[in-house]
């Protein structure tokens, strides 16, 4: 069920995650696709809602100079999750890293990065720190039911659904924290 009093961007993300969680459970390819897509949906949500809030604030009083500055900032905001987190902190004082849903979201992102860049295992960047590999492997096993054996990742049939659930909680949490900054244009679903 989609809660009331969320932004249009959050509603769109939750609907997409809901459709995805139903699809991604039968084959290994569907599980992988669910993980990959759940992160893409989170990224799209963050990029969309932050852009909407900033653009609304520019209409209220930012003027042409503010628009030029945001046009320069937008590519940096969308460059990486580290940059998204930086700008959430800088613009709104929100740190998702200190919250459980943010940490779980980072774990799903790490899994997506491994699947995308790691050829069946963790990426080269993820394996540079041996202690970090052990910690990441343990977190993946505990939270997402992903085993790391012999340098390879093995996803459980439920890993995709868990990734969708984590993404859902991330979107809901961030949307509620961004609520004070949302203006009439960003707010849609009120009842």
């Amino acid at each position: 069920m989609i809660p009331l009093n969320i932004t249009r961007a959050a509603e769109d993300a939750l609907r997409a995650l809901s459709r995805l969680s139903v699809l991604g459970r039968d084959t290994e390819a569907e599980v992988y696709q669910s993980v990959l897509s759940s992160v893409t949906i989170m990224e799209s949500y963050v990029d969309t809602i932050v852009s909407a809030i900033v653009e609304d604030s520019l209409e209220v009083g930012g003027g042409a100079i503010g628009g030029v500055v945001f046009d320069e900032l937008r590519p940096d905001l969308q460059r990486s999750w580290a940059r998204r987190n930086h700008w959430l902190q800088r613009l709104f004082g929100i740190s998702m890293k200190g919250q459980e849903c943010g940490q779980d979201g980072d774990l799903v992102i790490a899994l997506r990065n491994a699947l995308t860049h790691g050829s069946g295992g963790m990426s080269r960047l993820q394996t540079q720190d041996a202690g970090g590999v052990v910690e990441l492997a343990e977190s993946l096993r505990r939270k997402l039911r992903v085993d790391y054996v012999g340098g390879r990742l093995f996803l459980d049939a439920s890993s995709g659904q868990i990734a969708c659930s984590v993404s859902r909680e991330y979107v809901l949490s961030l949307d509620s924290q961004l609520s004070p900054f949302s203006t009439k244009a960003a707010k849609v679903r009120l009842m």
Side-chain angles (χ1 to χ4, degrees), residues 44-118:
S44 178
Y45 162 73
V46 172
D47 296 347
T48 299
I49 192 63
V50 170
S51 292
I53 292 170
V54 171
E55 288 167 2
D56 287 347
S57 70
L58 291 174
E59 288 177 15
V60 171
I65 293 172
V68 169
V69 171
F70 185 60
D71 286 344
E72 294 290 321
L73 172 130
R74 188 187 322 256
D76 188 56
L77 168 69
Q78 297 172 348
R79 180 171 295 133
S80 68
W81 274 98
R83 299 310 297 164
R84 284 180 184 86
N85 287 325
H86 167 81
W87 286 110
L88 286 171
Q89 175 67 46
R90 187 97 192 269
L91 293 170
F92 309 109
I94 296 171
S95 174
M96 295 301 286
K97 288 196 170 286
Q99 302 171 45
E100 184 176 0
C101 68
Q103 294 163 3
D104 291 348
D106 284 345
L107 190 58
V108 174
I109 293 162
L111 177 57
R112 186 278 309 262
N113 290 344
L115 296 175
T116 303
H117 305 291

Side-chain angles (χ1 to χ4, degrees), residues 14 48 59 71 82 104 132 159 163 165 169 171-173:
L14 295 180
T48 299
E59 288 177 15
D71 286 344
D104 291 348
S159 297
S165 177
E169 293 307 311
V171 167
L172 286 171
S173 177

Side-chain angles (χ1 to χ4, degrees), residues 113-135:
N113 290 344
L115 296 175
T116 303
H117 305 291
S119 300
M122 290 189 196
S123 72
R124 191 171 31 123
L125 183 63
Q126 291 170 322
T127 58
Q128 286 180 344
D129 173 20
V133 170
V134 172
E135 185 178 327

Side-chain angles (χ1 to χ4, degrees), residues 1-4 6 9-21 34-35 37-43 45-46 81 96 101-102 104-105 108 144 160-177 189:
M1 182 164 146
I2 295 181
L4 299 176
I6 60 174
E11 181 178 359
D12 291 346
L14 295 180
R15 287 187 189 287
L17 288 165
S18 178
R19 287 188 299 270
L20 187 61
S21 68
S34 291
V35 172
S37 295
S38 68
V39 174
T40 301
I41 292 165
M42 278 196 306
E43 286 174 347
Y45 162 73
V46 172
W81 274 98
M96 295 301 286
C101 68
D104 291 348
V108 174
L144 300 175
Q161 291 174 309
I162 296 168
C164 288
S165 177
V166 166
S167 297
R168 181 186 195 311
E169 293 307 311
Y170 183 98
V171 167
L172 286 171
S173 177
L174 183 55
D175 205 66
S176 70
Q177 293 174 75
R189 187 174 164 81

